[in-house]
Amino acid sequence: MEEYAREPCPWRIVDDCGGAFTMGTIGGGIFQAVKGFRNSPAGMNHRLRGSMTAIKTRAPQLGGSFAVWGGLFSMIDCGLVKVRGKEDPWNSITSGAMTGAILAARNGPVAMVGSAAMGGILLALIEGAGILLTRFASSQFPTGPQFPEDPAPMPAPTFGEYRQYQ
């Protein structure tokens, strides 16, 4: 499958971990900026200062949490690729479920089952949307112009006749 032609596994883990950290930091920064702005006292200076304080305090923590999730997900995904010998959506779905279960292990078995179910369902929805989008896009854009099966051969020039082809 074309969408699974990604980087090799050792580098994929580092790449996914860094991407998840970036996503968590940027998204957390935006969320914390709004939250800090709203929860600060009246006055534009107070609100901007509160917004910046919230960003500096909380956005790196959210980025780190996302990085842990992304790194663990990629390690499990690479392990499943190695064990199963193929890359398909089932690896991602299983990785999401196992990641959710591992990260909820400190809260007990009930929380592990719930987090595993949510992780598996979330990744199943993401993989299903990706497959549907790929099928829709491939049906909208044909592969290219279709040529006839057997084109007519060109006449061979005779020996005494010289033609310049244009």
Side-chain angles (χ1 to χ4, degrees), residues 3-26:
E3 68 259 15
Y4 288 103
R6 303 187 323 191
E7 292 187 27
C9 267
W11 303 113
R12 184 186 310 176
I13 296 168
V14 175
D15 186 43
D16 287 351
C17 191
F21 178 79
T22 304
M23 231 178 9
T25 304
I26 291 172

Side-chain angles (χ1 to χ4, degrees), residues 34-105:
V34 172
K35 186 176 176 185
F37 189 84
R38 291 182 66 198
N39 292 334
S40 295
M44 189 56 81
N45 285 338
H46 291 295
R47 290 188 184 265
L48 290 176
R49 195 174 311 125
S51 179
M52 289 305 294
T53 302
I55 291 170
K56 288 190 286 185
T57 303
R58 193 76 178 118
Q61 292 174 351
L62 288 169
S65 296
F66 270 67
V68 167
W69 195 95
L72 186 59
F73 175 84
S74 291
M75 283 192 288
I76 294 170
D77 193 33
C78 286
L80 288 173
V81 168
K82 182 71 173 171
V83 169
R84 295 184 68 222
K86 60 182 174 178
E87 289 196 42
D88 60 358
W90 290 109
N91 287 347
S92 295
I93 294 168
T94 306
S95 297
M98 290 176 72
T99 300
I102 290 170
L103 292 177

